[in-house]
Amino acid sequence: DVKVTQSSRYLVKRTGEKVFLECVQDMDHENMFWYRQDPGLGLRLIYFSYDVKMKEKGDIPEGYSVSREKKERFSLILESASTNQTSMYLCASSATLRAGSNTDTQYFGPGTRLTVL
Amino acid sequence: GQNIDQPTEMTATEGAIVQINCTYQTSGFNGLFWYQQHAGEAPTFLSYNVLDGLEEKGRFSSFLSRSKGYSYLLLKELQMKDSASYLCAVTRNQAGTALIFGKGTTLSVSS
């Protein structure tokens, strides 16, 4: 079974703090993703990575950065947390689409509910 | 542009059949996914369609029409545990790596 784990289920931080959210997957997947999920807005892509040290901006990258030093680990960094970054953060991973394959299903971690006070 | 539309909420009773529709626009289609998400939990994969037609998997089926930019998820013999949000997602480009998600349809099943 694919397993994606996130470092914390719940996190409370103060405005201005630097926040690290860690994600680890054990399926040797090339691709990893960070989303945030807010009521009425659905899942929105923050950043994704298709290889070690590679990253691509998603729809809402402002205020965030990422790090992928090892294939299994993808970190989301809030450089200076703000109250509007209070949200549920979900990490996902997927294998790279290959010729003859018909799926690059994303598998999600349990999520981190971050509250910024 | 890229856009996904699905109804916000639906209600149904146990044992019934419900169809959740999804229409989409994307710059590079390479597949459509349905996920289920129970309250407070992560989304879990339900189905994947890349060719036109119906894919059946137990009580759940998913249909795709690429020419119409349309899909539906069909849930049969509804159970209380099917109360959840159902998310439609499509690939953003031909590489198929990243997805764009709809806002989800919250299904409430009552007895």
Side-chain angles (χ1 to χ4, degrees):
Chain A
D1 276 354
V2 176
K3 191 160 186 185
V4 180
T5 57
Q6 295 183 228
S7 48
S8 307
R9 289 300 304 271
Y10 299 93
L11 208 53
V12 179
K13 294 292 181 181
R14 297 213 173 270
T15 303
E17 280 192 78
K18 190 168 186 176
V19 182
F20 293 87
L21 302 182
E22 302 284 340
C23 175
V24 178
Q25 50 93 6
D26 67 356
M27 282 303 293
D28 202 34
H29 283 170
E30 291 84 0
N31 309 308
M32 296 188 75
F33 309 84
W34 275 107
Y35 296 89
R36 63 178 284 178
Q37 187 173 32
D38 302 286
L41 296 178
L43 273 165
R44 294 180 291 166
L45 183 64
I46 304 171
Y47 268 98
F48 67 101
S49 168
Y50 52 89
D51 202 351
V52 175
K53 297 192 185 295
M54 306 302 288
K55 62 184 179 185
E56 292 278 347
K57 291 180 180 179
D59 298 317
I60 51 165
E62 297 79 18
Y64 304 95
S65 61
V66 290
S67 173
R68 187 134 182 237
E69 296 296 318
K70 293 184 177 181
K71 190 175 185 180
E72 67 272 17
R73 189 180 297 269
F74 192 35
S75 303
L76 180 70
I77 303 148
L78 286 67
E79 297 290 342
S80 177
S82 63
T83 53
N84 62 13
Q85 292 179 310
T86 292
S87 185
M88 170 69 88
Y89 289 88
L90 288 158
C91 174
S93 72
S94 71
T96 292
L97 197 67
R98 293 182 172 85
S101 167
N102 65 356
T103 179
D104 57 351
T105 303
Q106 292 188 17
Y107 296 91
F108 285 84
T112 296
R113 186 164 291 282
L114 173 67
T115 301
V116 182
L117 302 176
Chain B
Q2 296 178 320
N3 191 47
I4 297 182
D5 285 316
Q6 48 182 132
T8 305
E9 293 179 338
M10 298 184 73
T11 59
T13 53
E14 268 188 306
I17 299 173
V18 71
Q19 177 174 311
I20 302 174
N21 296 324
C22 170
T23 58
Y24 65 88
Q25 292 176 303
T26 181
S27 55
F29 182 84
N30 206 9
L32 184 143
F33 296 81
W34 283 96
Y35 283 82
Q36 181 190 59
Q37 185 177 25
H38 286 100
E41 297 182 11
T44 55
F45 170 74
L46 283 180
S47 68
Y48 172 80
N49 294 71
V50 64
L51 300 175
D52 285 359
L54 189 68
E55 296 274 346
E56 298 188 69
K57 198 184 286 187
R59 294 190 298 114
F60 293 5
S61 304
S62 57
F63 171 83
L64 176 67
S65 168
R66 293 177 67 142
S67 61
K68 294 181 179 176
Y70 168 70
S71 173
Y72 67 73
L73 181 69
L74 193 71
L75 293 76
K76 302 176 188 174
E77 301 168 18
L78 280 173
Q79 301 175 11
M80 298 290 284
K81 67 178 182 179
D82 297 329
S83 293
S85 283
Y86 292 86
L87 311 179
C88 175
V90 297
T91 51
R92 292 168 174 256
N93 50 46
Q94 286 299 123
T97 305
L99 301 177
I100 180 167
F101 281 83
K103 294 177 182 175
T105 299
T106 300
L107 174 65
S108 299
V109 180
S110 58
S111 56

